[in-house]
Amino acid sequence: MVLDVAIIGAGFGGIGAGVRLGRARITNVAIFERASELGGTWRDNTYPGCRCDVSSNLYSFSFAPNPAWTNTFSYQPEIQRYLGDVARRHQVDELIRYDHDVLEVTFDEQARLWMLETNQGIYHARAVILAVGALAEPRMPTIAGLGDFEGPVLHTARWNSTVELNAKRIGVIGTGASAIQVIPELATHVEHLDVFQRTPAWVVPHRGRPVRARTQRLFRYVPIIQRLARYLDYWRRELLVLAFARQPARMAKAEDGARQFIAAHIKDPELRRALTPNYRMGCKRVLLSNDYYPALARSNVELVSDRIAWVAPKGVVTDDGRFHELDVLVCATGFLVTDNPVCQRVRAVDGRSLAEAFAGELAHYKGTTFPGFPNLFMLAGPNTGLGHSSIIFMIESQLNYVVRALEHALASKAPVEPTARAATAWTESLHAKFPCTVWGTGCASWYLNDAGRNTTIWPDFTFAFRRATHRFERDDHVAAGGSE
Ligand code: NAP
């Protein structure tokens, strides 16, 4: 049987796509999920302290508000439960084929079908939605000797809760969003914690707090109140774009506040200096935590800012020649974002993989479709990431375009593909914005690809993206029959 749509991945993108396609009465759909559980990054990131840094009311689908959130910024288990609930309530769970690892995705031009080779057989589909997420593949650091370390080596996105950490000497590599959440959790019960920092992050206070039972009741019985709370949070965050994407110098005031935050917790001037970033706030993701600096001030925690030279069987040697004896290494080193390996498995009409096309600076159309890849849609694709708001808003915007494009493709029996002209115009116009934004102020970050181009961030207001994805613009797509 030929599917109308094959969705790859059952995280926020895949579940959202399943719901939206169902509403558009596109029902001949399957979701291929490599794991035996849904949830994507929220299934995989089970390290202690894992939490979302976008508010619960905004970090949820617009069509599925959750009046039962117990915290204004949810922890991982609750988000994972929420996604399962949404999938069940909207009967999307019935579409999921678990333990199906998609190995190769190729387009048969004659039949105008995508062929998906999985570990459980071959499937054909008229269209493919890549909903694999940007934070799916852990990035292990490339440090000499890492393979020789005798103790357990964990990655925050592949946590192993059976590894004993109590009363052990632990080394955490990295000081990004995952690290600053796991470090305070570990600090209280390990014997010693070395935090290996390469670049300090800007950290600001976390405003998360438990939601009172009476607020939950209010949200349940007067849903407009929760909508209003979401709306207000959305617009408060959009104001940040004025600084991030228009006048980055405005971030100086927030930097002063963050320096005072460091000073309030860190008395040692040397440590304070080591923790103070020397780049514009916002260029790398701004982190939220009330307990990261207090954890670093503990007597059993040391911030090591000398670079790691190599890993020895029983510890880490830093550039200054010091040996740090360790029992367990925790890599909080992030994800393969601009080089997601799944892109190597998707091949265009001409045989090029999506990864090869990206390496050649392939232009994209609204972060979602690509010339040469008919009826292929990518959620959370290039330049749809955010530093200030919820990726779910971006995914839902993309789904507006995807659903309309699919309705057109299925009705006309002609695959949808953006013209090279439209894709180039889109990509170049947004890249022209970067020099004046906070991401153009100069810092190394995972937002940049190997060529130093920012292929991750959406450099504008999110409502501009919502507007751009609202319609299916026929003129921007290759006409049926193949000519531009
Ligand atoms: P990340 O932001 O990429 O941070 C990785 C950290 O590892 C950085 O401090 C990096 O240093 C360091 N690092 C990488 N390779 C290293 C090496 N070879 N030696 C020493 N240090 C090394 O990854 P993440 O913390 O997992 O976060 C990724 C994204 O996931 C976040 O930006 C966010 O979008 C999401 N996330 C969100 C939350 C939340 O909602 N609170 C929590 C976790 C993750 P450099 O800075 O020098 O590169």
Side-chain angles (χ1 to χ4, degrees), residues 47 51 53 135 175-178 181 198-199 284-285 332 334 446:
Y47 61 84
R51 186 181 192 184
D53 57 10
L135 309 176
T175 51
S178 304
Q181 293 182 336
R198 194 163 66 179
T199 318
K284 289 158 90 82
R285 195 174 174 90
W446 57 266

Side-chain angles (χ1 to χ4, degrees), residues 89 114 444 449 466:
R89 259 189 291 130
W114 284 99
N449 69 8
R466 176 63 57 97

